[in-house]
Every structure is written in C-alpha cells, then in structure tokens.
Amino acid sequence: MSQRQVLQVFEQYQRDRTKFIQTVAELAGRPQHIETLQNAGVMSLLRPLLLDIVPTIQHTAALALGRLANYNEDLAEAIVKGDILPQLVYSLAEQNRFYKKSAAFVLRAVSRHSPSLAQSVVDCGALDALVICLEEFDAEVKESAAWAIGYIAAHNGELSQAVVDAGAVPLLVMCIQEPEVSLKSIAASALSDISKHSPELAQTVVDSGAIAHLSQMTLNPNAKLKRQVFSALSQIAKHSVDLAEMVVEAEIFPSVLACLKDQDSYVQKNIAILIREIAKHTPELSQLIVNAGGVAAVVDYIGETRGNIRLPGVMMLGYVAAHAENLAMAVIVSKGASQLAIVLCEEEEDHMQAAAAWSLGQIGRHTPEHAKAIAQTNVLPKLLQMYLNPASSEDLQVKCKKALKNILQKCVHLEALEPLLYDAPPNILKHVIGQFSKVLPNDSKARRLFMTSGGLKKVQEIKAEPGSVLSEYINIINNCYPEEVIKYYSPGYSETLLEKVENFNVVTTDPSLAYSHSESAGNSLSHSQTICSTLVV
Amino acid sequence: MAAKSRLLKNTIEFLSEIIYDERNEAEKKRIAELDALEKAEAEKKMRRRTEAAIIIQKHWRGYVGRKYYKECLLKYFRQISLKHYNSMATKIQKVWRGNWIRQHVYNYYKRQEYFQALAEKNEIMLIRLQEFRDERRRVQYEMARTIQRRHQNELVRKYHHLVSTKAIPGIYNSPYSPADSRDLFLKSAKFRVSPLSKKRKQMSFNKKCEKMLDSIKNLPNVPKQQGPFQDPKKVHFQRYKPPRQTLRMETDFYHLEKARKAMMDKEWTHRLHDDLFLPVKNRASQYKANMQNMSVYIPLGQITYRENDPSFNVDKKDFQLVLSPIPFFDEFQEKMEELKLEKCAKLTENVMSS
C-alpha cells in the first residue's frame, strides 16, 4: 500500500463526516424531518462531532444542534441534559468566528423556550462567554451573541439581572453604535428585553447612555431597526416618571410623530406604545405631547389602522384625558372623541372595545361640557348595548358600566339621555333619572320637551322601591309638574276614570239634563285628554 | 286670844303667803317683760342692721352686675364685629380669588385661544404627516419601479434572441399584422458588463483564459450561437471560477493547531481582558472515550470479516440503546465494556473451534 492510499482512507472519512453533518444540518432546518432525526438518535451523534478536529464540521454540528433546539422545548432540554452546553461554552471562548456564531445560535435556541432552560444556560457560564463575544471584531458574532443575550434576558428579572451583572449592557450600547443595521436592531431589542422587567434594570440601561444613541436612530429609514428602537425606548419609559422624562429629554418629540405614518405597522404600534408609556405618567408629560401635536397624530393614526395596531393609541388617548380637564378637552378638540366612537363601533374584539370604552369614560368624566361632547358622538346607546350584551366579556361589561357611569354623572345634554330611559337597567337608569332630576327643576323648556317627548310617561311607568334613590329622583321630577299632568301620564289612569264614571251618582232628575250629564261623564276620558293637551300646548 | 292669835298668826301666814306669791309673780312678770323688751330691742337693732346690709349689698351687687354686664356686652360686640369683619374679608377674598383665577388659571378667553391654537397646530401637524407619508410613498414607489425596470431589463435580455433583425423577422413581428410593441421592447435591451468580470480581468490568472477564449472566438467558419442561454453573470462566474481543491487540500490536517496558535498570537496582541475566561463547571473526571470507538482488536490473519458470525450484530438488547442519550452510557459504560469483552471472547472461541 502506498502512502497515498493510506491518506485516501482519511480523506474519505473526513469527506463522509462533512457530508453527514451538512445533510443533518440541512434536514434539521425543516420541521417535518425533525421527529425522524430525533428518533434516529441524532443528538448522541452530534455531540462527538462538536469535538471534531475539522472546524467546518464543528460549526456545522453546532448549527444543526441549534436548529434542533430551535424546533421545540424537548429537544432543547435534551441538549441541556446531554451536557453539551459546557462544551459549547468552553469552546466559545477559543474557537473561530464561525463556530462562535453557531455556538451562540445554539445558546439562543436553547434559552428561548423557557426561563428554566435559560437559567441552565446561565448556570453553564454562558453569559461571560457571550459577553466576550460581544467584544469580538466580527459583526455577525456580535449579532448572534447579542441575540442570545436578549433571549436570556427576556424571560424574567433575575435572568436580566444576571445579564446586567455580566456587564453586557455597556457592550450592547457599543453594538448600537456599530454601522451594521441588523446588529443595531438586535442590540436594541436586547436592551429592550433587559429594561422591561424593573425600574432598576431600566436605570442601568439608561446609565450606560443608551437613550442618546437610541434616540438618534428614531429617524432611520430601516423599519426593523425602528421597531426595536421604539420598543426599547418604551420599555425604558414605562417604569417611572424620571425615566420617562429622561426619554423625553432626548428631544424625540415631535420628530418621532412622523413615524406614526410609517409604512410598517409594527413601527406604528411601537411608537404609539412609546407615546402611551410617556403620557401615562404625569399631566405635564401629557401636556408636552398634546402641545407637540401628538394627540392629532395619534387620532389620525387610529383612523388609518385596524385592530391591535391601534390599541396603544386608543389607550394613550384615555391616559391623556384622565390626567386633567383641559387635556381631556384637548383630546376632544383634536377629534379624539369621535374617532374613539368610530373605533368602538368598528372593532369586533372585546378588548379593543373595552379600551375604547375606557378611554371614552376618561374623557367624559370631567365636566358637563366633556360629557356633552361624548354624548353628541351618539356613543351612549352603543355603550349601553355592549353592557347589556351577554356575549361581551366581563371586562368589557365592567368598563362599559364605568364609562357610562362617569359620563352620565356629568351629562346634562338631555336629548342624548332620553333614549337611555327606555332600555337602561335600574342601576344605569338611576344615574339617567338623577341627571333629569337635576336639570328639570331649573329649566322650563326642558320640562316641556321632556313631557311631550314621552319621557315623563316613561318615568311614571318605572317601578321604584319607595325610599330608594331612584324613587327620590322620580319624586323630584314629579314635583316639577302639576298634579293632573302626573296623574294623566301615570299608567292605569284611564281605568280609574272609567271607575269614576261607574260610581258617579246622578243627582238631577231631569231626564234631558241627566242625559247630557252622563254623556259628558262617558266622554270624560277624551275630555280630560283635551284638557291635558291644552295644558301641554 | 290664842285662837285670836292663832287666827292672826294664820292670817299673817296666809297673807304672807299671798304676798310672797304675788311678789313672785311680779318678779316673774318683770323678768319676762324685761326679756321681751330686750328681745324687741334686739330685733329692732337686727332689723336695722339687716336693712343696712341689704342696702350695702344691693349697691355692691348692682355695681358688680353692671361691671359684668359691660364686659359681656363688650365681648358680644367684639364677637359680632369679628364675624362681620370675617365675612367681609371672605367677600373680598372671594372676589379677588375669583378674579385672579379667572385671569390666570381658568381664563375663558385664553383657554379658548389655546384650544384654537391647538386645533390649528393639529391641522398643520396632520398636513405635515400627510406630506411625510406621501414622500415616503413616492420614494418607495420609485424604488419599486427601479426594481421592476431592472427585472424587465433582465427579461428582455433573456429573450433578446426573439428580436427581429433586418434579415429575419422576429416572432412578434408578423408580416400580416402591424408592428408589435413587444418587438420594440425587445430592441430596447441593454447589455451590461458584469462588474465581477471587470475585476477578474485585472487578475493575471484570467489573462491566459481570456487569450484562450479569444482564440476560440477567432476560429474561422464557425457559426455563432444565438442568444444568451443563461444569466451572463452566472456564465461569467462559471467561466472564471478558480480551480477547486480537494477537500483534503482545503482543510489542513493541522488546521486546528495552527488556528489555535494563530488565535493565541492574536489574543496576545489584541488582548482586551487580562483574565482569561474560565468556565464555571470544571470537569473533575477524565474524559472517557466514546462507546463507538471501543472495539477489541482481532488480528486479520485469524478472522476475516466475511466469516463473521451474524449473531455478532444481533444483540439481545434493543438497538435503540446505542442511540439513547450520553449520560445513560456514562453510567453503564463499564458494564457494557465487560459484556462486550465477554461476547468477543465467545466469538473467538466459536471461530477457533469451527
């Protein structure tokens, strides 16, 4: 045998290994093959290949493992149980960049499934290795390391704290400043994941100077980057007033409002979330957004989008209106109320309707002027209908009831209140009648209108328990009208009149007189009606 | 006489008794009268004193009462006036506060002005946003058009062989129908020179190939093939692809060691951390060799693979076990080794006996 033949054996072996691992990696990319691969025991075969002498085989094996772990939680757990992670972490520090990329991919795939798996990744010391990878020159390595770090931090506060303790935040902030857009966006998403858990974590992100760099990227044309940037900013701003003010001081308003018109709907949603998180803290911050024309922009964006995308915008209007009376008025002036009414009618899902109802309640609860503006959008019957609909969720019912109560307690716009008299349940009717009882004693025109439109008749038909609040209100209303009118409108009046006729003693003996008298008594109903109508007129 | 004297004596006695009684009576009355007189005197005196005391007390009480009354009156007056002043102060404060708040906080006109300004600002904002969106749309539309044009151009380039020439009319250029726009469209094809090929041209290696190609082009009496059949870029790439080495040559056998050394060198020069990374979990136990590698060496002279007993491959245990996770094997590895050794010994015995 010549030397060449001997070497050929090795070459053959290496070629076959490479082919095997490449095929497995390719197959692992398709979900339909994964079960077969798993049954064939791919895990135990991949492990030795991770230690192969050929770097290509090593990183392809890592790639295959990553794809398997990405598929479902069981496979990820199998990797953890197979003691593969320490090996990966160990070699992460000393292998080439392709291997680092694939290893980081495996760590990401494992830690993405559940907090316990992420914790086991952290326990292997992966964070330190990943943080070292963030210092690598190669952008792709940094990218996959940042990605893995983001996935670990996304689960809960403790894991995020571990990430922060490993010193990842300053390096992630460095990554944001790199020229590669994908690296930027992944680093931004990792920062968002870190800062979403608690104010302290958000504060560490802010302390490392992330906001200045994030705010510079708000006008970047890349949609994916913008999504992550806005999500990071909103996660920072959501915790406290101080953090929200820090975000605002980066002078993002009013330029970011332009992003509400972005082509990408998730950018729109994230910027709306950012505005909402800032506005919800204090009246001053809300005022700032209102003065920057933010409310008009949000209303416009609500009008253009559908479904979940516009949910944060709807809530933002509610938050702004909840702070103060003039802010609520600003929302009304910016046509927010009518837009919310449209949302309430258009949307089918309960949570959207609930949000819209809540926001409307927040706007209408301040003064009669506000309540009138809400009532004029003809939203009260719709709210009542949602409240009474047994198909609507409990949350929606509660929100509708609260909104109705808030608005009704301030509403003196009687035209809008009158339809509610006919189909409101007693607990709502109480407020409606209460408003009437407040207005009618002081307004003669309204009294007349109330009587002619049949409202008074309806009020007489209500059966209120004596001594209750409702009966008190009814009494107040009844006291505004002469007694005959009340009698006339109370149910069963015709019967009492007929009874009167029956029991009437004819006094006169003169037949002609008696005849005329009985005739007049028989027609007393119509007679009294004419009296009443003359009264009314 | 005796009788007389006795009588006298009796009479005297009797008289003296009477006189004594009278005297007694008179004395008694005198004392009583004296007492009564004294009493009357005392009473009179007492009455005068009482009257005097009453007069004194009357005046004193009147004086004190008047004093107290004055004080009360003053107090009451003070209260009344305080109330009055307070109410006046409240009135002043009410008016002033109302005025102030209407001027500075709830100024109706300012409020109205603010909302008007806000509405105007909103209008401007919406217009700006619309402009922004239009601009973005325009840019996107332009981009889409450029891409579409590029695709079209590629298509035209691909189907350029269908164009009509002076000699032969193309398939879109029927002599029976008026001129087709598609033919004109095909004529508009622009061929570009791949930037890749430009680069390659500069390389000395490709010069030889080019020369060779030129020589092929210049061959006489060979009809030129019509139409580019593949993407020219692909063709270029295929044509100027550098020679591919074998897999063995591609990866050095000592690549790992070399790479490690290179990396260590790099690490030495580019070191950022002085503390090298150490994994948390250090393994105390030695690395154990893989199950698949463990086999007993049997000299080739004694046994050939063809003569192998088929039962060697048939194990009583499930084959699945081989593929089960590693920790399982880690536990039972030694046991398995023993089993295997036994089996091999049996096998050799069988072979020897046969």
Side-chain angles (χ1 to χ4, degrees):
Chain A
M1 250 187 223
S2 70
Q3 196 187 357
R4 199 170 141 267
Q5 274 171 316
V6 174
L7 281 177
Q8 219 165 18
V9 177
F10 284 92
E11 196 178 315
Q12 179 71 31
Y13 178 51
Q14 185 171 335
R15 193 179 288 149
D16 287 347
R17 269 189 339 230
T18 315
K19 198 178 175 192
F20 169 73
I21 193 63
Q22 276 171 353
T23 321
V24 166
E26 207 168 291
L27 288 174
R30 292 179 201 136
Q32 67 265 32
H33 298 318
I34 283 184
E35 218 158 292
T36 328
L37 284 173
Q38 195 184 359
N39 291 337
V42 71
M43 281 289 175
S44 48
L45 290 173
L46 283 180
R47 193 190 164 189
L49 286 176
L50 271 179
L51 292 171
D52 204 281
I53 48 165
V54 185
T56 325
I57 295 175
Q58 280 182 20
H59 76 75
T60 319
L63 187 70
L65 269 179
R67 281 180 181 165
L68 288 172
N70 213 10
Y71 176 67
N72 68 17
E73 202 175 336
D74 294 338
L75 282 165
E77 255 170 34
I79 287 179
V80 173
K81 280 181 188 160
D83 267 351
I84 290 171
L85 290 180
Q87 196 175 315
L88 272 174
V89 170
Y90 185 71
S91 43
L92 195 59
E94 52 182 36
Q95 291 284 2
N96 63 10
R97 61 197 175 96
F98 297 109
Y99 185 81
K100 281 185 180 179
K101 216 177 95 184
S102 314
F105 171 57
V106 179
L107 293 176
R108 166 166 61 110
V110 170
S111 55
R112 99 174 230 244
H113 293 292
S114 73
S116 59
L117 283 171
Q119 186 63 50
S120 61
V121 169
V122 173
D123 289 341
C124 292
L127 277 177
D128 296 314
L130 286 172
V131 167
I132 289 169
C133 284
L134 280 182
E135 285 175 323
E136 190 83 3
F137 182 72
D138 188 58
E140 287 184 350
V141 175
K142 273 197 256 190
E143 192 181 310
S144 57
W147 210 341
I149 285 175
Y151 272 26
I152 291 169
H155 288 296
N156 57 37
E158 285 166 29
L159 286 166
S160 282
Q161 190 61 51
V163 167
V164 170
D165 291 343
V169 175
L171 292 171
L172 284 172
V173 175
M174 296 274 277
C175 287
I176 290 180
Q177 301 165 49
E178 297 288 330
E180 291 84 6
V181 177
S182 59
L183 175 58
K184 275 182 181 188
S185 66
I186 285 165
S189 96
L191 285 176
S192 150
D193 283 334
I194 290 168
S195 55
K196 79 181 175 188
H197 297 291
S198 73
E200 292 76 23
L201 289 166
Q203 189 64 52
T204 53
V205 172
V206 172
D207 288 343
S208 54
I211 288 181
H213 300 298
L214 286 172
S215 60
Q216 276 170 6
M217 291 187 287
T218 48
L219 294 178
N220 196 300
N222 189 295
K224 278 180 186 166
L225 175 59
K226 265 197 287 190
R227 277 184 206 172
Q228 302 303 340
V229 165
F230 287 131
S231 123
L233 284 175
S234 58
Q235 298 291 7
I236 290 169
K238 81 176 181 184
H239 293 292
S240 70
V241 184
D242 290 341
L243 290 167
E245 278 170 0
M246 291 286 280
V247 172
V248 169
E249 271 165 23
E251 295 185 349
I252 51 172
F253 290 107
S255 56
V256 289
L257 295 175
C259 295
L260 282 171
K261 284 274 187 183
D262 205 276
Q263 305 274 320
D264 188 73
S265 56
Y266 284 97
V267 172
Q268 286 181 321
K269 189 182 176 184
N270 284 357
I271 177 70
I273 290 173
L274 172 63
I275 297 172
R276 182 189 73 188
E277 299 300 347
I278 290 171
K280 80 176 181 187
H281 288 297
T282 61
E284 287 77 23
L285 287 170
S286 295
Q287 187 76 56
L288 178 119
I289 289 168
V290 169
N291 291 350
V295 173
V298 168
V299 169
D300 190 45
Y301 130 83
I302 290 174
E304 281 179 3
T305 48
R306 295 282 171 277
N308 261 336
I309 305 293
R310 61 178 169 183
L311 179 65
V314 171
M315 286 173 76
M316 178 260 174
L317 291 183
Y319 276 127
V320 168
H323 284 305
E325 167 268 332
N326 60 336
L327 288 171
M329 202 63 208
V331 172
I332 292 169
V333 167
S334 314
K335 293 161 192 151
S338 47
Q339 191 62 55
L340 283 174
I342 293 168
V343 171
L344 193 72
C345 298
E346 270 184 1
E347 289 296 334
E348 311 249 306
E349 285 178 69
D350 275 4
H351 67 277
M352 288 296 301
Q353 286 174 339
W358 175 78
S359 294
L360 282 168
Q362 295 302 327
I363 296 171
R365 66 165 203 187
H366 294 285
T367 63
E369 208 182 339
H370 294 82
K372 189 181 174 188
I374 298 287
Q376 276 172 345
T377 57
N378 204 19
V379 84
L380 295 179
K382 179 82 185 161
L383 280 174
L384 186 68
Q385 182 203 332
M386 281 173 186
Y387 173 53
L388 295 178
N389 189 0
S392 48
S393 69
E394 201 178 321
D395 182 49
L396 175 59
Q397 282 181 346
V398 169
K399 294 248 162 72
C400 282
K401 190 188 165 190
K402 269 202 167 170
L404 267 177
K405 215 169 136 183
N406 283 341
I407 298 167
L408 287 179
Q409 278 174 348
K410 291 288 175 188
C411 188
V412 289
H413 186 62
L414 299 186
E415 287 163 34
L417 288 179
E418 223 163 85
L420 298 185
L421 272 180
Y422 296 97
D423 36 35
N427 55 349
I428 301 293
L429 198 63
K430 189 172 71 186
H431 300 296
V432 178
I433 302 253
Q435 290 311 108
F436 275 113
S437 75
K438 281 176 204 162
V439 177
L440 289 180
N442 305 319
D443 191 348
S444 57
K445 259 189 192 170
R447 277 204 293 269
R448 186 167 156 171
L449 209 66
F450 186 56
M451 195 168 76
T452 49
S453 65
L456 190 59
K457 195 175 171 210
K458 175 66 198 164
V459 169
Q460 301 312 317
E461 283 163 10
I462 294 166
K463 281 169 196 154
E465 280 178 39
S468 66
V469 187
L470 184 59
S471 72
E472 256 176 53
Y473 289 147
I474 291 175
N475 270 344
I476 295 172
I477 293 176
N478 287 351
N479 288 341
C480 303
Y481 291 96
E483 211 172 317
E484 298 99 283
V485 180
I486 300 297
K487 262 191 192 167
Y488 172 62
Y489 279 114
S490 32
Y493 180 58
S494 52
E495 274 87 51
T496 49
L497 274 185
L498 284 176
E499 249 176 56
K500 257 189 191 172
V501 171
E502 275 174 21
N503 300 338
F504 191 72
N505 290 327
V506 183
V507 193
T508 46
T509 46
D510 191 351
S512 61
L513 271 173
Y515 173 73
S516 69
H517 202 100
S518 67
E519 189 190 45
S520 71
N523 291 340
S524 64
L525 188 64
S526 58
H527 185 62
S528 67
Q529 267 176 350
T530 51
I531 290 172
C532 283
S533 56
T534 49
L535 254 173
V536 167
V537 173
Chain B
M1 208 34 208
K4 212 182 172 178
S5 65
R6 216 191 298 145
L7 187 70
L8 192 74
K9 203 183 166 185
N10 282 350
T11 320
I12 290 166
E13 271 179 9
F14 180 68
L15 274 176
S16 67
E17 243 174 55
I18 289 171
I19 289 167
Y20 183 76
D21 282 353
E22 273 177 358
R23 285 272 174 89
N24 243 359
E25 195 91 346
E27 186 63 30
K28 267 183 190 171
K29 275 200 175 160
R30 195 188 62 87
I31 289 167
E33 271 172 10
L34 203 71
D35 281 356
L37 195 73
E38 269 180 358
K39 220 178 182 176
E41 280 287 306
E43 268 180 6
K44 203 176 176 185
K45 223 178 189 176
M46 197 66 203
R47 203 182 303 136
R48 277 190 64 191
R49 275 187 190 163
T50 316
E51 274 170 3
I54 284 170
I55 286 168
I56 293 167
Q57 283 175 353
K58 182 173 80 183
H59 280 92
W60 172 248
R61 282 185 185 155
Y63 169 70
V64 169
R66 272 191 296 281
K67 210 175 168 185
Y68 180 70
Y69 170 71
K70 257 185 196 168
E71 266 177 25
C72 278
L73 199 69
L74 212 63
K75 217 173 170 180
Y76 179 68
F77 175 71
R78 269 190 203 134
Q79 269 181 3
I80 292 270
S81 56
L82 194 70
K83 231 184 225 171
H84 181 249
Y85 291 142
N86 276 347
S87 70
M88 288 299 125
T90 312
K91 251 181 208 168
I92 294 167
Q93 283 173 358
K94 182 181 83 178
V95 171
W96 190 82
R97 278 185 187 158
N99 187 34
W100 189 86
I101 219 151
R102 259 175 260 118
Q103 263 182 5
H104 294 95
V105 183
Y106 296 116
N107 189 339
Y108 176 78
Y109 297 102
K110 266 192 185 171
R111 195 178 134 96
Q112 242 26 39
E113 210 176 302
Y114 169 73
F115 285 130
Q116 215 159 2
L118 186 71
E120 272 169 30
K121 175 148 194 182
N122 285 347
E123 288 287 312
I124 295 165
M125 186 78 198
L126 290 182
I127 291 167
R128 286 277 154 78
L129 286 179
Q130 201 54 47
E131 278 170 9
F132 176 75
R133 167 153 248 184
D134 291 347
E135 177 66 23
R136 289 299 299 272
R137 275 202 183 138
R138 198 183 57 74
V139 168
Q140 222 158 35
Y141 177 70
E142 293 279 306
M143 266 172 66
R145 275 207 50 192
T146 329
I147 290 167
Q148 197 196 356
R149 215 176 290 152
R150 205 177 292 153
H151 279 299
Q152 238 172 24
N153 218 0
E154 261 169 37
L155 202 75
V156 168
R157 240 181 275 147
K158 244 181 204 169
Y159 291 97
H160 187 255
H161 57 279
L162 301 178
V163 80
S164 60
T165 58
K166 259 187 188 173
I168 311 161
I171 59 160
Y172 295 122
N173 197 11
S174 167
Y176 307 110
S177 64
D180 200 325
S181 63
R182 281 177 286 184
D183 197 50
L184 292 173
F185 186 56
L186 285 176
K187 271 180 186 167
S188 72
K190 284 174 205 160
F191 290 96
R192 61 146 192 238
V193 186
S194 157
L196 199 71
S197 70
K198 269 184 200 167
K199 241 188 213 172
R200 301 275 184 193
K201 265 178 200 168
Q202 291 164 1
M203 291 162 73
S204 59
F205 167 75
N206 292 330
K207 277 183 181 168
K208 282 182 201 169
C209 302
E210 238 177 320
K211 268 181 193 169
M212 232 166 72
L213 273 175
D214 283 345
S215 64
I216 292 168
K217 267 182 207 165
N218 295 341
L219 270 179
N221 304 328
V222 174
K224 208 183 165 190
Q225 291 290 318
Q226 274 286 316
F229 299 108
Q230 274 207 326
D231 191 29
K233 205 172 155 187
K234 249 189 202 171
V235 175
H236 273 287
F237 183 73
Q238 192 73 19
R239 195 170 291 165
Y240 300 123
K241 209 164 72 171
R244 204 193 150 96
Q245 289 171 315
T246 60
L247 202 69
R248 169 91 186 96
M249 295 294 282
E250 219 170 41
T251 326
D252 188 6
F253 191 79
Y254 299 105
H255 178 277
L256 188 62
E257 284 76 6
K258 276 183 186 167
R260 271 207 184 130
K261 196 169 178 299
M263 220 167 94
M264 279 168 78
D265 289 347
K266 198 184 162 196
E267 173 85 9
W268 180 248
T269 49
H270 296 247
R271 177 169 287 176
L272 290 168
H273 277 263
D274 279 343
D275 305 327
L276 270 177
F277 163 73
L278 285 173
V280 172
K281 213 174 173 186
N282 277 327
R283 278 181 164 268
S285 60
Q286 279 289 313
Y287 176 72
K288 284 172 186 168
N290 207 339
M291 255 298 292
Q292 279 92 337
N293 302 349
M294 298 290 290
S295 58
V296 178
Y297 175 71
I298 303 162
L300 263 173
Q302 294 175 359
I303 171 175
T304 55
Y305 285 114
R306 281 173 195 278
E307 283 171 349
N308 242 348
D309 190 0
S311 65
F312 176 75
N313 290 328
V314 182
D315 202 293
K316 276 180 188 170
K317 285 196 175 175
D318 199 350
F319 186 65
Q320 201 66 30
L321 278 180
V322 178
L323 303 171
S324 57
I326 305 295
F328 176 81
F329 285 109
D330 286 345
E331 280 176 26
F332 295 101
Q333 199 161 12
E334 284 164 25
K335 215 173 181 182
M336 294 291 272
E337 277 169 28
E338 281 174 22
L339 276 173
K340 218 165 194 183
L341 279 173
E342 272 177 34
K343 217 169 261 177
C344 285
K346 267 185 194 172
L347 202 77
T348 43
E349 270 177 29
N350 285 345
V351 171
M352 293 296 271
S353 62
S354 67

